[in-house]
Amino acid sequence: MAMPDIANSAQVQTEGTLDRVGMSNIELPLMVQTDNCAPQQVSASAELFVNLGDAKAKGIHMSRLYLQLDQLSTESELTLQTLTTLLEGFIESHHELSQQAFVKFSFDYHLRRKSLISEKRGWKAYPVVIIGQLINGQFNFELQVNVPYSSTCPCSAALARQLIQEEFAKKYNQQNSIDKEEVLNWLGSTQGIVATPHSQRSVVEVKVKLNKENQSFPVIELIDLIENTLKTPVQAAVKREDEQEFARLNGQNLMFCEDAARQLQYMLHPQTKFDDFWLRVNHYESLHAHDAVSITTKGIKDGYQA
């Protein structure tokens, strides 16, 4: 006896088209190939959707979407080409119902990162989102990475310097001459550096729209661009010389959230691989109980909005 197929045989109670129908929070392992690197296994969360363009159809065939995703997970790797094929397969399997397909993968991408001076290495995990869309025959691919870094407040640094100057003047105000060795020792003491500026772990979220210049997902390339621009990426394995260099980099790259956003904006504008970008800078304040945030885009017509 044939089993009933409600999606194909039942009559809808209320007619209407739907923008997206599908599944979310699908947990699965994936082999992801990025840049020019060997594929890396990740634990991903996926969302799969097609539109329901037939107002009289009861529903879509969700199992058809899931099985194609499962085949990608078990038999292939996630690349720009396989993502293209996946989206095409969603439409082909719903040719009578759908003209649009959407897929989103979220995962942590692990990189071995070298320390600043000692060249010790350690793992860093970068949250990554890859989105693919096929709308009326047109493909659209987006990549988002979240990159942590350290930000030291320029205002706090100026206030700390003022206190150090005042402490220096108080200590040596009565002396006509100052011994260099004594000053060096004083500067190395707690009394000499009477105040330090506040800094905090910060995170920038950068989303870019990929164009045909990309042969693969430029995950590492985008992370490197961000870290090289901000100059104060958080570290993995460190020795004392690395921590000292990290302190120097923070002191020489003071930034408000506005500074970080503008630096990244300036860096991203001439990048030819990205048709558009959106970024959000989050400074998780150590002075305040709230966060400092800046958001900006490339500013093109019909592009990303803040």
Side-chain angles (χ1 to χ4, degrees):
M1 181 182 295
M3 290 183 288
D5 186 352
I6 297 299
N8 279 330
S9 61
Q11 186 175 359
V12 296
Q13 295 176 334
T14 305
E15 294 186 8
T17 61
L18 299 173
D19 294 331
R20 285 185 186 176
V21 183
M23 295 163 282
S24 67
N25 293 322
I26 303 172
E27 302 291 338
L28 75 164
L30 277 179
M31 296 297 292
V32 179
Q33 199 277 319
T34 73
D35 304 83
N36 295 314
C37 299
Q40 179 181 134
Q41 186 173 41
V42 302
S43 179
S45 176
E47 294 187 359
L48 317 173
F49 296 100
V50 292
N51 73 312
L52 183 53
D54 184 346
K56 296 183 178 181
K58 185 69 172 176
I60 69 164
H61 307 285
M62 292 194 186
S63 63
R64 297 180 186 177
L65 303 182
Y66 183 89
L67 290 173
Q68 291 179 70
L69 174 67
D70 187 71
Q71 185 176 18
L72 172 65
S73 172
T74 56
E75 300 179 14
S76 188
E77 303 159 356
L78 179 61
T79 66
L80 272 171
Q81 183 54 56
T82 60
L83 181 52
T84 299
T85 301
L86 185 67
L87 291 166
E88 290 174 334
F90 286 177
I91 297 298
E92 289 171 6
S93 66
H94 287 77
H95 64 273
E96 75 282 8
L97 300 175
S98 306
Q99 305 79 39
Q100 301 178 16
F102 173 96
V103 62
K104 175 181 177 181
F105 295 103
S106 304
F107 54 87
D108 282 347
Y109 193 85
H110 288 79
L111 289 176
R112 294 285 286 174
R113 302 304 257 179
K114 188 165 58 177
S115 59
L116 296 168
I117 300 295
S118 69
E119 298 194 347
K120 300 294 182 183
R121 291 180 180 270
W123 289 106
K124 288 176 65 176
Y126 297 87
V128 172
V129 175
I130 291 173
I131 294 174
Q133 296 184 75
L134 176 54
I135 302 176
N136 299 323
Q138 296 296 314
F139 290 96
N140 178 32
F141 299 109
E142 297 174 85
L143 168 65
Q144 179 176 324
V145 298
N146 292 6
V147 178
Y149 63 101
S150 176
S151 59
T152 301
C153 174
C155 179
S156 180
L159 294 170
R161 289 193 299 269
Q162 183 184 49
L163 287 174
I164 293 169
Q165 288 175 317
E166 291 174 355
E167 195 68 18
F168 180 88
K170 186 191 305 181
K171 180 173 179 61
Y172 293 104
N173 188 46
Q174 303 300 321
Q175 295 183 215
N176 294 324
S177 62
I178 301 174
D179 180 71
K180 176 184 175 182
E181 198 65 30
E182 180 186 355
V183 173
L184 283 174
N185 290 333
W186 180 80
L187 286 172
S189 69
T190 304
Q191 293 74 28
I193 305 302
V194 69
T196 59
H198 75 82
S199 60
Q200 53 270 324
R201 186 181 300 175
S202 306
V203 174
V204 59
E205 308 164 44
V206 175
K207 180 166 59 179
V208 295
K209 186 171 292 186
L210 305 178
N211 60 32
K212 292 183 179 179
E213 282 193 35
N214 295 276
Q215 302 302 310
S216 61
F217 301 115
V219 173
I220 302 174
E221 180 180 354
L222 184 55
I223 291 170
D224 286 343
L225 284 169
I226 294 167
E227 291 190 340
N228 291 336
T229 297
L230 295 175
K231 299 183 174 62
T232 54
V234 300
Q235 300 295 296
V238 294
K239 303 291 283 183
R240 280 179 294 176
E241 57 266 37
D242 303 309
E243 188 169 353
Q244 186 179 62
E245 176 64 6
F246 186 70
R248 188 191 70 82
L249 288 170
N250 272 267
Q252 296 303 306
N253 295 280
L254 307 172
M255 65 183 92
F256 294 123
C257 64
E258 296 94 332
D259 298 313
R262 285 170 174 148
Q263 290 173 31
L264 293 166
Q265 182 187 54
Y266 182 80
M267 176 275 291
L268 286 167
H269 262 293
Q271 301 298 324
T272 59
K273 288 186 175 182
F274 312 139
D275 285 342
D276 197 4
F277 66 80
W278 172 97
L279 67 91
R280 173 180 171 131
V281 168
N282 306 278
H283 284 191
Y284 303 126
E285 291 279 324
S286 59
L287 172 64
H288 303 289
H290 54 262
D291 305 331
V293 176
S294 286
I295 302 173
T296 192
T297 66
K298 189 170 184 177
I300 62 175
K301 184 180 179 181
D302 299 324
Y304 289 131
Q305 300 297 310

